């Protein structure tokens, strides 16, 4: 990571500022003020945040040679929890209405993996797919909506937001750079209404600074107890070709911001369905969870 980088969220966490007035790369690391490892551990994960273990197909190992030997500069993947992505016969209307999702399994995001603050926020996620897109519906319990980065979409993950990190699953992962398809999507409700969106792509050993995500569709709405997000993410944005049984690497994230005081809008806590998600970028890529496309 460069000296001008900011340690911010996806642990969504951490802020160390560089000089200058331009955009800076946002790194989701395990601390609200540094990129150090979070004290959260796998043993603190609740049962509801870990789906049942299933046997699924995985991609060919990128770290194995043709003769079966381990390639240099790789390490064995130790996957986190698996999320089943339901096959949808009809694409949902992206309007923030949960009724189309009632038969899709829900996954809890409630294990704190980053940030130095405390939080009572949680979220429940449902995911689906068809040949065109990956779909998600997330309901966040978080009554104090705090999002101060309206003009800086690449920083919305340090306010109240959800995040999806997703890429190609491999039995062995590189120790020198992220996979070319690794992507982070951030979606957040605006305090005054509307939806904020950003996308970041792999850039060496971390994600790039990100930019506004303009393809696909997403909507965020406030509710009595928090907010909801619904989105359709084109497979072309993720560099993936979907098929039933495909296992992708990935994890679900929720950021909760400081709601008042001098630090209002900065990251308080980062939550995930994956208790192994201790930091952003290459160092913890081997521990990403799994997303399996169902038949």
């Amino acid at each position: 990571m460069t000296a001008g980088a900011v340690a911010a969220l996806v642990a969504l966490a951490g802020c160390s500022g560089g000089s200058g007035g331009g955009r800076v790369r946002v790194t989701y690391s395990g601390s609200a003020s540094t990129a150090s490892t979070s004290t959260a551990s796998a043993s603190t994960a609740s049962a509801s945040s870990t789906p049942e273990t299933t046997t699924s197909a995985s991609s060919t190992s990128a770290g194995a040679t043709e003769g079966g030997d381990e390639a240099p500069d790789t390490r064995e993947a130790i996957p986190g929890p698996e999320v089943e992505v339901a096959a949808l016969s009809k694409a949902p209307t992206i309007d923030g209405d949960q009724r189309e999702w009632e038969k899709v399994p829900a996954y809890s995001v409630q294990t704190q993996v980053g940030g130095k603050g405390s939080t009572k926020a949680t979220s429940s996620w449902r995911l689906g797919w068809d040949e065109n897109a990956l779909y998600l519906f997330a309901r966040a319990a978080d009554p104090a909506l705090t999002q101060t980065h309206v003009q800086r979409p690449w920083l919305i993950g340090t306010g109240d937001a959800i995040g999806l990190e997703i890429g190609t699953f491999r039995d062995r992962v590189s120790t020198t750079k992220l996979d070319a398809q690794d992507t982070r999507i951030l979606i957040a409700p605006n305090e005054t209404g509307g939806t904020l969106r950003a996308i970041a792509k792999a850039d060496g050993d971390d994600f790039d600074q990100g930019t506004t995500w303009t393809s696909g569709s997403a909507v965020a709405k406030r509710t009595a107890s928090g907010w909801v997000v619904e989105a359709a993410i084109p497979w072309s944005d993720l560099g993936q070709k979907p098929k039933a049984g495909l296992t992708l690497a990935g994890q679900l994230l929720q950021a909760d911001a400081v709601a008042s005081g001098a630090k209002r809008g900065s990251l308080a806590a980062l939550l995930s369905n994956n208790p192994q998600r201790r930091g952003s970028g290459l160092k913890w890529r081997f521990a990403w969870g799994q997303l399996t496309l169902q038949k």
Side-chain angles (χ1 to χ4, degrees), residues 110-242:
Q110 61 184 26
T111 301
Q112 186 168 348
V113 295
K116 291 186 174 180
S118 61
T119 182
K120 294 182 179 180
T122 62
S123 57
S124 176
W125 290 57
R126 303 168 194 261
L127 289 91
W129 75 281
D130 63 17
E131 63 181 4
N132 298 311
L134 176 68
Y135 304 94
L136 67 85
F137 186 95
R139 178 176 293 275
D142 182 10
L145 174 58
T146 308
Q147 180 53 253
T148 62
H149 301 293
V150 177
Q151 302 301 322
R152 297 177 294 174
W154 55 92
L155 291 178
I156 62 175
T158 59
D160 288 354
I162 62 161
L164 173 68
E165 291 178 329
I166 187 169
T168 301
F169 177 79
R170 304 188 189 280
D171 295 323
R172 297 191 64 84
V173 299
S174 171
T175 58
T176 60
K177 62 181 179 180
L178 290 176
D179 198 89
Q181 284 75 41
D182 287 351
T183 303
R184 178 188 294 146
I185 299 286
L186 298 173
I187 308 172
N190 190 349
E191 290 183 358
T192 57
T195 306
L196 306 174
R197 311 194 278 166
I199 185 171
K201 305 294 288 186
D203 181 18
D205 64 357
D206 210 331
F207 290 96
D208 64 23
Q209 64 186 9
T211 188
T212 302
W213 176 46
T214 57
S215 59
S217 58
V219 62
K221 292 182 176 181
R222 299 184 81 156
T223 66
S225 59
W227 40 275
V228 298
V229 166
E230 189 172 19
I233 307 169
W235 289 113
S236 57
D237 286 1
L238 304 176
Q240 302 291 341
K241 295 181 179 180

Side-chain angles (χ1 to χ4, degrees), residues 275-286:
Q276 298 182 169
R277 203 287 188 197
R278 307 288 188 84
S280 179
L282 182 63
K283 182 177 179 180
W284 293 98
R285 179 60 172 83
F286 75 97

Side-chain angles (χ1 to χ4, degrees), residues 52-67:
E52 295 179 0
T53 301
T54 61
T55 301
S56 58
S58 65
S59 64
T60 301
S61 170
T65 64
E66 193 170 318

